[in-house]
Amino acid sequence: RMVLGNPRFMHLRDTAATLFPELNGRLAAPNAVGKITIEVRTSDLGRIQTAFQSNVAAVVFLDRRPDGPARLIPVSAADAFYGLARGLPLIDQPMYEESREALRRLVIDGALELRYSGLEEAVRLLEPLTA
């Protein structure tokens, strides 16, 4: 399983600043499909590894909470697909259906949800997934 992307930017929902205080003060603006997002240059984040393509070790949905221990919770393939597919941009057929099929294949074995409050504990849980 491989994914492709643009590692130069991250696009986050405008509500991300409530979870990530380091985003406070960044401009939120409409993206190409009209959703309000915060655009962050990855080069502004310091030491972060990026790539235009990558093999997928696991699909992990993030759920940052104000407190509580970090834990990984299984997500069914169906729930993972719908979680990813609802974010697909509206593009012409057959590319839209091809994108949906690629998402189905990506999560065929299910996914995980990471519930966490502290970054260090979250990283500790994710590291074994990339080994």
Side-chain angles (χ1 to χ4, degrees), residues 39-52:
E39 184 177 87
V40 179
R41 283 185 170 276
T42 53
S43 61
D44 293 345
L45 299 176
R47 199 178 56 170
I48 184 172
Q49 257 188 321
T50 62
F52 284 95

Side-chain angles (χ1 to χ4, degrees), residues 118-129:
L119 183 60
E120 295 79 19
E121 196 176 14
V123 169
R124 181 183 53 76
L125 284 178
L126 292 174
E127 281 179 332
L129 299 176

